Amino acid sequence: MAEHKLANGAARIDFQTEPARYRHWKLTVDGEVATLALDVDENAGLFEGYQLKLNSYDLGVDIELADALQRLRFEHPGVKAVLLRSAKNRVFCAGANIRMLAGASHAHKVNFCKFTNETRNAIEDASRNSGLSFVCVINGTAAGGGYELALAADHIILVDDGSSAVSLPELPLLAVLPGTGGLTRVTDKRRVRRDHADVFCTTEEGVKGKRAVAWRLVDEVVPQSKLDTAATERARERAGRSQRQANGGGVKLTPLQRKFNGDAIDYTCVNVAIDRAGQSATITLHGPDRDAPTNTASLTELGAEFWPLRLARELDDAILHLRNNEFEIGTLIFKSTGDVERVLAYDTFLADNASHWLINEIRQLWKNVLKRIDVTSRSLVTVIEPGSCFAGTLAEVVLACDRSYMLIGQREGDNKPPATIALSALNFGAYPMSNDLTRLQSRFLGEPHRVQVAQERSGEKLEAEDADELGLVTFALDDIDWDDEIRVFMEERTSFSPDALTGMEANLRFGGPETMESKIFARLTAWQNWIFQRPNAVGEDGALKRYGTGQKAAFDMRRV
Amino acid sequence: MAEHKLANGAARIDFQTEPARYRHWKLTVDGEVATLALDVDENAGLFEGYQLKLNSYDLGVDIELADALQRLRFEHPGVKAVLLRSAKNRVFCAGANIRMLAGASHAHKVNFCKFTNETRNAIEDASRNSGLSFVCVINGTAAGGGYELALAADHIILVDDGSSAVSLPELPLLAVLPGTGGLTRVTDKRRVRRDHADVFCTTEEGVKGKRAVAWRLVDEVVPQSKLDTAATERARERAGRSQRQANGGGVKLTPLQRKFNGDAIDYTCVNVAIDRAGQSATITLHGPDRDAPTNTASLTELGAEFWPLRLARELDDAILHLRNNEFEIGTLIFKSTGDVERVLAYDTFLADNASHWLINEIRQLWKNVLKRIDVTSRSLVTVIEPGSCFAGTLAEVVLACDRSYMLIGQREGDNKPPATIALSALNFGAYPMSNDLTRLQSRFLGEPHRVQVAQERSGEKLEAEDADELGLVTFALDDIDWDDEIRVFMEERTSFSPDALTGMEANLRFGGPETMESKIFARLTAWQNWIFQRPNAVGEDGALKRYGTGQKAAFDMRRV
């Protein structure tokens, strides 16, 4: 199957954009209420070979949405409610573009769904943690991914015009699942009765009017003539109830400084070095180059230059780049350089000023970047050497990894003092995983008292043997074994099947409870990935391939 | 890829067996302690084309294990602890047979794992709900499925002989996951630290000795010379703490009466009628042919003839047969005939005597049969017509279905009174799903008060419109629409991709919380099914195919 090429000769998928460059979304702010209007430019698809008709989307559309959400959080702290709507007549959104899906590689389909899932989660996260309430106005067709987008909102208004419906036609039309959280949000968020859900998800034309309300699929239906009034009213009501601190000036998310140099990517405090032969990338995080502020007065002035914000944005971009452009890079190696105490001082500042709106947003961003790492289908390892600064927030990266290696003492011929790691208050609640536990709680499911023991050592610089004793690192090794052990690990990892690693890591990383969010990445996504491999969906005679050809799909009717 | 044929010319996989026919297990009872010894006959594989070396297993081995567990529960109520061990020297169990897996169809692999998962769950269920404690004695190799079997026990003893280890070598050796609950039990039951789990699951030779204890993989290591003594001691200690009521006579699980007649299967109170053109099977459940007992005195005398026990066993066998032998039968239609009040009387008897050991076992069996229905990858529908008896325990079948149709009033030309359904006390806690909610709680996640409303109508015979009003059925239809609506539903279902239906149903059936058990069927199994489709595992150059050929697998190194 011929895979699509990126449009306009682009060499890679770029996750950086800004409102002035949006092709598909319009972000407008009117006091406490912002409007995010979807107006897809059908000729501006990310790849060649399809048009984005009927407000259907591809990854490019979603990259803009993710960007707009971040800007609402950082640049517009006065906004308290967001109207999510369409700028086109009688169509809200037709969902993920089918021709794009039909021509996409398996890996792209899976990563596309992962990113769109993260963006839907970001909507809910902004609502829960930033007081940004989302009202979705469905003025016409809301099919598949279109309805899934609506499902991420707090309140869904559907026009009652006798024809407009919400639908999840993926199964009847395409032989795949509504894979952007649709099934899980229907059962776990909207809590639709399971037999109603069965009918809904197998009815191509969807459900409209009173039944859509009775079945809990939307919150209200409103005649066309009253749609705008109702939308504005709901948004204002919700803005009125928001806990967001009204605050004038936001912080401009200035363009990232990023340079691609062959197999290296250099940001201001993140470097990525790709080793193609070793199928790995080393991501080095740089600690702060100046001391933490002593008060919040200078914060907005620092803006996007403020080290924790800058680092989070750069790290997020690096992860997204590797995930979506570098499929053969199977292992991510995290390293760091910098001063442990300085990092701890920043964490103290982030902890002490948690109620400051900008600090809150930065902490939420870190939480989400770390969650993004959790669901990245690459082997993750931290290598902790002299000169590193895995403290507090950065120690969370260690805990997010599948394993970690820490050097005991010094390296021969290097006079840097032994490596230390440290925990801060932020390791004990600021950054929950998708299972709603902290990474330390997840780590110590079997020995929960160890969380308390670790907390008592918070703020202390821990050398390798102490860190090992506390259970914070996988292996503490001295210089004699160091190079060999890491080499063996890397060789081992590249000898394994990438698929099996992906499946194993997705299981071992998420012990314990599940939440709606974790179910989306587990139960729903894993089933969808299976279906994305099945000939009934993706084969030459499968439904995705035959869609729009006038030929019906031919199914192997055997149940598995 | 050539698929294996059943050995000895068998036409179908049969789930019925009895100890006298076992080829692979020896069940012995010594007072309060029973021993289940694995002694696989390598020449008695279920399919042709492989030998079951080193106590490796196939579905046939597991069918015997499942049977033995049921017999321990029903035939040996005096047993309080079970020693799970090997009858072979220096090998406990090498796991699922690799040549069997390499030659099995995708559908067989998936169903094999499903059944073995259900059997592991049955071990834990017997421990939790029947006071049967399991002590596993590992006297040598316990690899892959061998260790997964051990993981189902309450206590694992590993011999400390310098070489015997527990291992999950699936990933390094076969490029698949430990799919019989292994990953989930490691993280959620043994609560092994996730980085230790990562090391363990990527280390072909496994972990032995003190490290196995320190990493929580086993409960104790014991020298060879003390292994038998330790095993007996642990079993006796556990038997001493068991809450199981010592009781002399068990109930013999007599062979099922079952006849295959072309496309029909007739049991004493279950009939299966297969419609190959319609790709469906109608399963008719017959109500009791005599009144419920008034006291428990006659119970053991009735034994396996007791209607609820007989029906549960027959229904279980029918489901297993359809699942494993009839892949093109995509929809199961449940019907019933009988007297609603008589069924309710049985439920009252089962509710009133819940503490009687045999009643407890029958209720647990029903719980497990219903759970088996929940995870059956077929569309499930109940059709409720005049003369049916979906009451109490049988109403649970209605609630397990993806949807239900109930006829309002009478059928033209039929003078049977209108259909009714009824709830009993058993619908409100006796039969939790794998998510630990009742089916009514799962159904009414969004409107929890409806559980209470339904409970208030318990015992009442509800006609279609009442049942609909209470939210207990999907559609209440009168005679005019009846045939058409059901025909349309059946046609629709057969027009859809079976894969997409499987994925959708696995999502919609399990709204709300997850448990270790539900995670095994969701997170773990769905990922494994995906891997079971990937060329890196099952392709001609994949690890499963190349295992034992001396040729290394060739992997596509792209991460998805």
Side-chain angles (χ1 to χ4, degrees):
Chain A
M1 93 185 73
E3 213 182 309
H4 290 308
K5 285 184 192 161
L6 286 165
N8 306 318
R12 67 183 78 87
I13 299 172
D14 191 349
F15 289 82
Q16 295 306 307
T17 186
E18 56 188 325
R21 290 159 55 202
Y22 290 178
R23 302 290 294 266
H24 309 296
W25 287 93
K26 290 191 174 63
L27 172 60
T28 50
V29 174
D30 178 11
E32 293 187 342
V33 176
T35 299
L36 255 173
L38 183 60
D39 191 9
V40 174
D41 177 348
E42 63 181 41
N43 296 313
L46 184 64
F47 293 90
E48 292 178 356
Y50 55 83
Q51 287 195 302
L52 295 172
K53 303 212 172 184
L54 292 170
N55 259 3
S56 65
Y57 62 83
D58 64 4
L59 181 58
V61 178
D62 233 64
I63 288 171
E64 292 184 5
L65 173 59
D67 183 77
L69 292 167
Q70 285 300 354
R71 291 184 195 275
L72 279 166
R73 297 179 82 156
F74 283 94
E75 299 185 354
H76 304 284
V79 169
K80 298 180 175 180
V82 183
L83 278 167
L84 191 61
R85 60 189 310 168
S86 161
K88 289 191 163 52
N89 268 334
R90 300 185 62 79
V91 58
F92 173 69
C93 168
N97 187 274
I98 300 169
R99 294 193 180 283
M100 176 279 293
L101 283 177
S105 68
H106 182 61
H108 181 74
K109 275 201 282 290
V110 169
N111 280 286
F112 165 67
C113 287
K114 188 175 284 179
F115 186 80
T116 53
N117 269 317
E118 290 172 321
T119 308
R120 305 300 164 274
N121 291 344
I123 292 175
E124 290 172 335
D125 184 62
S127 171
R128 195 164 36 242
N129 298 306
S130 296
L132 270 168
S133 199
F134 288 79
V135 173
C136 183
V137 189
I138 300 179
N139 63 317
T141 311
Y147 178 52
E148 288 179 302
L149 178 60
L151 282 169
D154 298 290
H155 187 87
I156 306 175
I157 309 175
L158 171 64
V159 67
D160 194 8
D161 59 3
S163 68
S164 294
V166 295
S167 66
L168 292 176
E170 284 88 343
L171 182 138
L173 219 53
L174 305 170
V176 300
L177 302 183
T180 313
L183 295 183
T184 314
R185 284 200 176 80
V186 161
T187 56
D188 282 45
K189 183 180 186 180
R190 307 292 311 183
R191 300 182 170 192
V192 173
R193 227 173 70 192
R194 53 171 284 199
D195 54 347
H196 290 157
D198 181 86
V199 176
F200 175 59
C201 297
T202 54
T203 304
E204 193 179 317
E205 64 274 21
V207 170
K208 64 190 176 190
K210 289 201 184 80
R211 178 176 266 192
V213 178
W215 285 13
R216 312 170 58 86
L217 296 164
V218 305
D219 293 287
E220 57 178 323
V221 287
V222 170
Q224 180 70 58
S225 60
K226 296 183 181 159
L227 194 60
D228 284 336
T229 318
T232 312
E233 268 174 24
R234 292 301 164 274
R236 288 213 183 114
E237 282 161 22
R238 292 191 154 256
R241 294 202 301 272
S242 166
Q243 299 298 308
R244 200 171 205 208
Q245 301 166 13
N247 197 306
V251 158
K252 177 84 184 151
L253 296 177
T254 49
L256 294 188
Q257 293 177 48
R258 177 185 65 178
K259 277 188 201 135
F260 289 88
N261 295 316
D263 282 338
I265 312 163
D266 297 311
Y267 302 83
T268 69
C269 44
V270 173
N271 297 96
V272 179
I274 291 177
D275 170 5
R276 295 204 182 274
Q279 297 172 19
S280 69
T282 299
I283 301 174
T284 305
L285 311 176
H286 297 270
D289 47 12
R290 62 169 95 172
D291 285 341
T294 48
N295 60 63
T296 57
S298 60
L299 245 194
T300 16
E301 196 180 315
L302 273 167
E305 287 303 302
F306 184 52
W307 173 77
L309 175 54
R310 191 157 41 99
L311 178 59
R313 290 180 69 211
E314 293 178 356
L315 176 56
D316 202 34
D317 187 68
I319 297 288
L320 285 170
H321 167 72
L322 290 168
R323 248 201 215 173
N324 289 276
N325 294 307
E326 294 286 358
F327 295 113
E328 300 214 356
I329 302 307
T331 304
L332 306 187
I333 304 164
F334 290 93
K335 297 191 177 187
S336 65
T337 64
D339 184 78
V340 166
E341 281 170 5
R342 211 175 231 175
V343 174
L344 285 176
Y346 272 86
D347 265 20
T348 303
F349 182 73
L350 293 179
D352 290 349
N353 297 288
S355 61
H356 186 283
W357 77 269
L358 179 56
I359 301 292
N360 176 54
E361 292 303 347
I362 292 169
R363 288 171 51 144
Q364 302 301 336
L365 175 60
W366 263 105
K367 178 194 69 188
N368 292 329
V369 174
L370 289 162
K371 281 187 182 185
R372 187 143 22 226
I373 293 173
D374 291 334
V375 295
T376 292
S377 65
R378 301 291 190 279
S379 294
L380 307 172
V381 59
T382 316
V383 171
I384 308 166
E385 295 169 310
S388 65
C389 60
F390 286 111
T393 298
L394 297 194
E396 209 64 26
V397 174
V398 182
L399 300 171
C401 283
D402 300 305
R403 54 172 97 168
S404 53
Y405 291 84
M406 187 164 183
L407 184 79
I408 300 173
Q410 295 180 292
R411 298 218 66 176
E412 204 183 309
D414 179 355
N415 64 3
K416 278 204 279 294
T420 59
I421 63 169
L423 299 175
S424 80
L426 299 192
N427 299 114
F428 298 88
Y431 307 128
M433 299 171 60
S434 68
N435 64 5
D436 250 352
L437 302 182
T438 66
R439 283 177 191 77
L440 281 170
Q441 287 169 330
S442 292
R443 186 173 185 82
F444 296 132
L445 277 177
E447 304 168 288
H449 65 279
R450 281 184 171 272
V451 177
Q452 176 67 29
V453 172
Q455 195 158 14
E456 283 159 13
R457 306 286 290 274
S458 212
E460 198 177 318
K461 288 169 77 169
L462 305 162
E463 292 196 12
E465 281 159 317
D466 274 356
D468 186 28
E469 171 82 25
L470 288 169
L472 300 175
V473 297
T474 315
F475 295 112
L477 301 167
D478 57 29
D479 195 37
I480 297 171
D481 297 322
W482 184 250
D483 288 337
D484 268 357
E485 290 283 342
I486 291 175
R487 182 183 51 74
V488 166
F489 164 71
M490 291 303 303
E491 286 174 5
E492 206 181 70
R493 222 63 180 186
T494 53
S495 76
F496 297 147
S497 158
D499 305 321
L501 285 171
T502 291
M504 181 191 77
E505 290 155 2
N507 277 275
L508 299 184
R509 289 178 191 168
F510 299 95
E514 300 265 359
T515 64
M516 183 178 80
E517 190 179 314
S518 75
K519 283 176 77 171
I520 289 172
F521 288 113
R523 190 179 273 277
L524 177 56
T525 298
W527 276 113
Q528 176 78 312
N529 291 358
W530 175 71
I531 290 165
F532 275 161
Q533 282 286 287
R534 300 282 292 161
N536 284 343
V538 298
E540 285 309 314
D541 305 329
L544 264 183
K545 281 292 159 76
R546 288 208 169 161
Y547 180 78
T549 64
Q551 257 193 308
K552 276 189 66 172
F555 293 139
D556 177 345
M557 294 310 291
R558 284 174 299 178
R559 277 278 191 147
V560 170
Chain B
M1 91 186 72
E3 214 182 309
H4 290 309
K5 284 185 194 161
L6 286 165
N8 306 318
R12 67 183 76 87
I13 299 172
D14 191 349
F15 290 82
Q16 295 306 308
T17 187
E18 57 188 327
R21 289 159 55 201
Y22 290 177
R23 302 289 295 265
H24 310 296
W25 287 94
K26 290 190 175 63
L27 173 59
T28 51
V29 173
D30 177 12
E32 292 187 343
V33 176
T35 299
L36 255 173
L38 182 61
D39 191 9
V40 173
D41 177 348
E42 63 181 41
N43 296 314
L46 184 64
F47 293 91
E48 292 178 356
Y50 53 84
Q51 287 195 303
L52 295 171
K53 303 212 171 181
L54 291 172
N55 260 2
S56 65
Y57 62 84
D58 65 3
L59 182 58
V61 177
D62 232 64
I63 288 171
E64 292 184 5
L65 174 58
D67 183 77
L69 292 167
Q70 284 301 353
R71 290 185 195 274
L72 279 167
R73 297 179 81 155
F74 283 95
E75 300 186 353
H76 305 285
V79 170
K80 297 179 176 182
V82 183
L83 279 168
L84 192 61
R85 59 189 311 168
S86 161
K88 289 189 162 54
N89 267 335
R90 299 184 63 79
V91 58
F92 174 70
C93 168
N97 186 274
I98 299 169
R99 294 193 179 283
M100 176 279 292
L101 283 177
S105 68
H106 182 61
H108 181 74
K109 276 202 281 290
V110 169
N111 279 286
F112 164 69
C113 287
K114 189 176 283 178
F115 185 80
T116 53
N117 269 317
E118 289 171 322
T119 308
R120 306 300 164 274
N121 290 344
I123 292 175
E124 291 173 334
D125 185 62
S127 172
R128 193 163 39 243
N129 297 306
S130 297
L132 269 168
S133 199
F134 288 79
V135 174
C136 183
V137 188
I138 300 179
N139 62 317
T141 311
Y147 178 53
E148 288 179 302
L149 178 60
L151 282 169
D154 299 290
H155 187 88
I156 306 176
I157 308 175
L158 171 64
V159 66
D160 194 7
D161 59 4
S163 68
S164 295
V166 296
S167 66
L168 291 176
E170 285 86 343
L171 183 139
L173 220 52
L174 305 170
V176 300
L177 302 184
T180 312
L183 296 182
T184 315
R185 283 200 176 81
V186 162
T187 56
D188 283 44
K189 183 180 185 179
R190 307 290 312 183
R191 299 181 170 194
V192 173
R193 226 173 70 191
R194 53 172 284 199
D195 53 347
H196 289 159
D198 181 87
V199 177
F200 175 59
C201 297
T202 53
T203 304
E204 194 179 315
E205 63 274 21
V207 171
K208 64 190 176 190
K210 289 201 184 81
R211 178 176 267 193
V213 178
W215 284 13
R216 312 171 58 85
L217 296 164
V218 305
D219 294 287
E220 56 179 323
V221 287
V222 171
Q224 180 71 56
S225 60
K226 296 185 181 158
L227 193 61
D228 284 335
T229 318
T232 311
E233 267 175 25
R234 292 300 164 274
R236 288 213 183 114
E237 283 162 22
R238 293 191 154 254
R241 294 202 302 272
S242 165
Q243 299 299 308
R244 201 172 204 207
Q245 301 166 15
N247 196 306
V251 158
K252 178 84 185 152
L253 295 177
T254 50
L256 294 188
Q257 292 176 49
R258 178 185 65 178
K259 276 187 201 137
F260 288 88
N261 295 315
D263 281 338
I265 312 163
D266 296 311
Y267 302 83
T268 69
C269 44
V270 173
N271 298 95
V272 179
I274 291 176
D275 170 5
R276 295 205 181 273
Q279 296 172 19
S280 69
T282 299
I283 301 174
T284 305
L285 312 176
H286 296 271
D289 46 12
R290 62 169 93 172
D291 285 342
T294 48
N295 60 62
T296 57
S298 60
L299 245 195
T300 15
E301 196 178 316
L302 273 167
E305 287 303 302
F306 184 52
W307 173 78
L309 175 53
R310 189 157 40 101
L311 178 59
R313 291 180 68 211
E314 293 178 357
L315 177 56
D316 202 34
D317 187 69
I319 297 288
L320 285 169
H321 168 71
L322 291 166
R323 248 200 214 174
N324 290 276
N325 294 305
E326 295 285 358
F327 295 115
E328 299 214 356
I329 302 307
T331 304
L332 306 187
I333 305 164
F334 289 93
K335 297 192 177 186
S336 65
T337 64
D339 185 76
V340 166
E341 281 171 3
R342 212 176 228 175
V343 175
L344 285 177
Y346 271 86
D347 266 20
T348 303
F349 182 73
L350 294 178
D352 289 350
N353 298 288
S355 61
H356 187 281
W357 78 268
L358 179 56
I359 301 292
N360 176 53
E361 292 303 346
I362 292 168
R363 288 170 51 144
Q364 302 301 337
L365 175 60
W366 263 104
K367 179 194 68 188
N368 292 329
V369 174
L370 290 161
K371 281 187 181 184
R372 195 159 349 246
I373 293 173
D374 290 334
V375 295
T376 292
S377 65
R378 301 291 189 279
S379 293
L380 307 171
V381 59
T382 317
V383 171
I384 309 167
E385 295 169 311
S388 64
C389 60
F390 285 111
T393 298
L394 298 194
E396 209 63 26
V397 174
V398 183
L399 300 172
C401 283
D402 299 304
R403 54 172 98 170
S404 54
Y405 290 84
M406 187 165 183
L407 184 79
I408 300 172
Q410 297 181 292
R411 298 219 66 175
E412 204 184 309
D414 179 356
N415 64 2
K416 281 203 276 296
T420 59
I421 63 169
L423 298 175
S424 80
L426 299 192
N427 299 114
F428 299 89
Y431 307 128
M433 298 172 62
S434 68
N435 63 7
D436 250 351
L437 301 182
T438 66
R439 282 177 192 76
L440 281 169
Q441 287 170 330
S442 292
R443 187 173 185 81
F444 296 133
L445 277 178
E447 303 168 289
H449 65 280
R450 281 183 173 271
V451 177
Q452 176 66 28
V453 172
Q455 195 158 14
E456 282 158 14
R457 305 286 291 272
S458 210
E460 198 178 318
K461 289 169 75 169
L462 304 161
E463 293 196 12
E465 281 159 317
D466 273 357
D468 186 27
E469 171 82 24
L470 288 168
L472 301 175
V473 296
T474 315
F475 295 112
L477 301 167
D478 57 27
D479 195 37
I480 296 170
D481 298 322
W482 185 252
D483 289 337
D484 267 357
E485 289 282 343
I486 290 175
R487 182 182 52 73
V488 166
F489 165 69
M490 292 302 303
E491 285 174 6
E492 206 179 72
R493 222 64 180 186
T494 53
S495 76
F496 297 147
S497 158
D499 306 321
L501 284 171
T502 290
M504 180 192 78
E505 290 156 1
N507 277 275
L508 298 184
R509 289 178 190 167
F510 299 94
E514 300 266 359
T515 64
M516 183 178 79
E517 189 179 315
S518 75
K519 282 176 79 171
I520 289 173
F521 289 114
R523 189 179 273 275
L524 176 56
T525 298
W527 276 113
Q528 176 79 311
N529 291 358
W530 176 70
I531 290 165
F532 276 162
Q533 283 285 287
R534 299 284 291 161
N536 284 344
V538 299
E540 284 310 313
D541 306 329
L544 264 182
K545 281 292 159 78
R546 288 208 170 162
Y547 180 78
T549 64
Q551 255 193 309
K552 277 189 64 173
F555 294 138
D556 176 345
M557 293 311 292
R558 285 174 298 178
R559 279 277 192 147
V560 170

